Amino acid sequence: MTFESIIGHERQKNILRRALTNQRIAHAYLFEGPDGIGKRLVALAMARALLCTNGTGCGDCTQCRKVDHNNHPDVHLLDADGASIKIDQVRGLQKDLALKPLEGLHRVCLIDGAEQFNPAAANALLKTLEEPQPHTLIILLSSRPESLLVTIRSRCQRLPFQRLPKQRLAEVLANRLELGEVEANVLAALSDGSFKKALGQNRELYLERRRELIRSLSALSSGSIIPLFKLAEELAGDKEILPDILEIFQAFYRDLLLLIHGRPQTDLVNQDLQETLHRQVAQETTESLLRKLRALETGRYHLQRNVNRQLAMETMLLRMNAA
Ligand SMILES: [Zn+2]
């Protein structure tokens, strides 16, 4: 992984490149921004550039290869063990950091999901940040930096990362996945600038399954109660991706609102479902769509509170149906 091979994040990469060239690397960085947009890749590229024998992150030397294979003894990766990062993990890290680097001149420590420190672990880490070791670089990655201790944040050089612009993501996806323009646009819009989502299991969900789900949803308005319960059961069975499915429904209703208000096709997410959209929009008003969106929001709220999933989905669909 090199800075060059990572798409986007030009400003952030330039800051890090300059720090490397001028040998003015901070002791600790905090990479902040949404999950799945490439913060970890940039951190690994930084590690490689720092540890590379040729000082460039060449990709050919033993050091670079070890970083790429996740087996460099001077690169430490820390992330949540269960629900949180625990004090034993930080103590283990501190032990390693107290020693000289094993292979090169530097140690690099990557802490992913840094908002997950439990309080004791956070205080232990603070000690490490307050007494920086020479030749040690710590990079914290977080999608919720506001949850970190202020004292931790203030010890780090903060580097905000943004989602890739939708258009840019669509171009890259079209290229990499050999998708047509419309499909690439759909995938980019639903992935919300996250490569991880677009390239992972959500790809199938966003492209093929989305069409089925929206068809089932739009068939409900005219249908009997049986299909509604069947759809609720299907949704309840998809625990892992249910939040993403509800986002798909939200995008569908949002598309209908945009259509009612005469926005151009290019603003829509479901550009490949023109027929379904136009059939549905004829039956809707702004008010009915807002009621549906509210029902969706309530459904989402209930799911986050671990209520009976099936019941929550039935209630949500019934309310949408009546809207
Ligand atoms: Zn190298």
Side-chain angles (χ1 to χ4, degrees):
M1 188 51 62
T2 59
F3 287 133
E4 287 69 30
S5 65
I6 297 170
I7 292 153
H9 311 307
E10 298 308 328
R11 187 183 148 264
Q12 294 79 356
K13 292 188 293 191
N14 281 335
I15 289 172
L16 296 172
R17 273 199 209 100
R18 259 203 313 276
L20 282 161
T21 314
N22 304 332
Q23 299 190 334
R24 301 193 68 148
I25 301 162
H27 289 295
Y29 289 92
L30 171 57
F31 290 4
E32 345 177 321
D35 284 324
I37 59 169
K39 300 190 298 296
R40 190 167 169 142
L41 292 181
V42 174
L44 284 169
M46 179 70 179
R48 198 170 104 168
L50 191 62
L51 296 168
C52 173
T53 315
N54 299 314
T56 55
C58 67
D60 295 322
C61 71
T62 323
Q63 302 292 314
C64 281
R65 284 211 297 271
K66 283 186 178 174
V67 175
D68 284 350
H69 292 128
N70 292 324
N71 60 4
H72 197 296
D74 295 322
V75 177
H76 307 270
L77 282 170
L78 200 70
D79 48 20
D81 173 15
S84 60
I85 301 176
K86 305 194 169 70
I87 186 148
D88 288 348
Q89 293 177 274
V90 178
R91 290 214 178 106
L93 179 72
Q94 285 169 333
K95 231 178 250 169
D96 288 335
L97 295 185
L99 304 170
K100 280 213 167 77
L102 291 168
E103 296 218 354
L105 296 171
H106 298 273
R107 277 187 186 278
V108 182
C109 167
L110 245 78
I111 304 178
D112 208 350
E115 66 281 353
Q116 288 167 307
F117 277 107
N118 73 24
N123 280 309
L125 178 78
L126 186 58
K127 289 244 153 51
T128 302
L129 292 173
E130 280 168 350
E131 297 154 18
Q133 303 286 326
H135 309 300
T136 297
L137 169 64
I138 297 178
I139 306 178
L140 302 173
L141 314 177
S142 180
S143 57
R144 286 188 286 115
E146 67 286 354
S147 323
L148 271 73
L149 289 181
V150 179
T151 38
I152 287 187
R153 286 201 305 250
S154 68
R155 293 273 164 186
C156 300
Q157 181 174 332
R158 300 173 70 170
L159 209 50
F161 282 69
Q162 283 84 30
R163 290 188 170 90
L164 277 187
K166 207 163 71 182
Q167 195 46 44
R168 179 99 168 84
L169 181 60
E171 282 164 21
V172 178
L173 290 172
N175 236 317
R176 278 214 190 157
L177 304 176
E178 295 182 4
L179 296 173
E181 192 187 333
V182 170
E183 283 202 315
N185 283 337
V186 171
L187 196 53
L190 286 167
S191 316
D192 209 9
S194 162
F195 263 112
K196 217 171 177 178
K197 273 188 165 181
L199 298 173
Q201 60 163 355
N202 283 24
R203 177 186 169 191
E204 194 270 332
L205 169 67
Y206 288 159
L207 292 180
E208 278 91 42
R209 183 110 187 269
R210 171 184 48 94
R211 294 191 198 110
E212 290 166 32
L213 285 163
I214 287 179
R215 257 181 234 120
S216 308
L217 184 71
S218 57
L220 288 184
S221 47
S222 57
S224 72
I225 212 81
I226 301 299
L228 188 147
F229 282 123
K230 270 181 79 178
L231 180 58
E233 191 183 349
E234 182 188 337
L235 297 181
D238 269 326
K239 187 181 174 200
E240 298 301 319
I241 53 168
L242 190 46
D244 297 319
I245 293 180
L246 297 189
E247 267 178 29
I248 289 175
F249 289 171
Q250 188 182 23
F252 176 61
Y253 290 141
R254 185 175 168 275
D255 280 355
L256 294 172
L257 270 176
L258 293 176
L259 272 181
I260 284 185
H261 292 273
R263 298 297 294 268
Q265 302 287 350
T266 45
D267 282 5
L268 307 181
V269 171
N270 299 283
Q271 291 175 21
D272 55 343
L273 293 175
Q274 298 292 343
E275 215 188 299
T276 315
L277 284 169
H278 282 101
R279 206 179 326 115
Q280 184 78 24
V281 83
Q283 308 168 18
E284 304 286 357
T285 61
T286 301
E287 290 69 32
S288 70
L289 288 168
L290 290 177
R291 280 196 296 273
K292 283 182 159 79
L293 282 165
R294 270 199 296 276
L296 192 61
E297 209 38 63
T298 312
R300 201 182 276 173
Y301 175 86
H302 285 144
L303 285 178
Q304 283 164 358
R305 269 142 200 88
N306 285 323
V307 298
N308 179 318
R309 265 204 311 287
Q310 171 125 6
L311 193 61
M313 288 302 94
E314 282 171 6
T315 313
M316 180 189 84
L317 292 175
L318 282 166
R319 289 184 60 205
M320 284 176 176
N321 215 10

